[in-house]
Amino acid sequence: MKSLVAVVVLALALHSVASQSEYLQEVINSYLKYIPKVEEACRALTGVDPVEADRLLNPGVLSVDEPFKNYLTCLFRGLDLLNDDGSINFGKFTVFMAKENPGLAEFIIKACGSSEVGEDVNERLWNFTNCVFQVL
């Protein structure tokens, strides 16, 4: 009986993880139409490994390599989501997110706004993005 309960709990946990990752992918896919030119320019500018860049958008995996972090920062800059000091402009972030998912930005900011910490803009954006991927 304990084995059956363990299997059911494991199955529910895996389903929950799969559902979260499916939702994350849906959210990512809903914004892909806004980034082709920015994304292409950032790949060329940063020299990011194309495999690592692709993994950001499918399935939402963040590399810890510096070129990848530069690429992530380039995307935020290219989408005009950063203030001059490199912090996230949450007002613009909210407007951008509302294009496809009204209300989602508020949830993300509440859950992850405080995770925008680090020694430089790359680290702050990586920490923020990682949090977003964890909560979605």
Side-chain angles (χ1 to χ4, degrees), residues 7 12-13 17 52 57 59 62 69 78 85-86 93 98 102-103 109-110 115 118 124 127 136:
V7 168
L12 289 172
V17 168
E52 296 297 329
L57 302 175
L62 299 177
K69 290 179 180 180
D85 66 356
F93 179 80
I109 292 167
K110 183 177 180 183
S115 68
R124 290 190 302 270
N127 288 335
L136 291 182

Side-chain angles (χ1 to χ4, degrees), residues 20 24 60 62 107 112 127-136:
Q20 286 177 326
L24 173 59
L62 299 177
F107 169 77
C112 299
N127 288 335
F128 175 78
T129 304
N130 186 54
C131 177
V132 171
F133 287 177
Q134 296 299 316
V135 299
L136 291 182

Side-chain angles (χ1 to χ4, degrees), residues 11-87:
L12 289 172
L14 290 174
H15 176 69
S16 175
V17 168
S19 295
Q20 286 177 326
S21 103
E22 288 172 14
Y23 179 67
L24 173 59
Q25 193 60 58
E26 286 177 25
V27 170
I28 290 171
N29 288 345
S30 69
Y31 293 95
L32 290 178
K33 63 186 167 201
Y34 299 104
I35 67 165
K37 290 181 182 178
V38 171
E39 200 266 340
E40 185 179 319
C42 289
R43 282 183 189 235
L45 182 67
T46 63
V48 66
D49 178 338
V51 172
E52 296 297 329
D54 288 343
R55 289 178 67 201
L56 169 64
L57 302 175
N58 184 9
V61 176
L62 299 177
S63 170
V64 295
D65 294 341
E66 204 58 34
F68 176 82
K69 290 179 180 180
N70 291 332
Y71 168 73
L72 185 60
T73 298
C74 182
L75 289 175
F76 272 80
R77 280 197 200 288
L79 294 170
D80 195 30
L81 300 177
L82 296 182
N83 295 312
D84 291 339
D85 66 356
S87 62

Side-chain angles (χ1 to χ4, degrees), residues 27 30-31 33-34 95-102:
V27 170
S30 69
Y31 293 95
K33 63 186 167 201
Y34 299 104
V95 170
F96 178 75
M97 294 298 292
K99 291 177 181 180
E100 298 295 326
N101 295 283

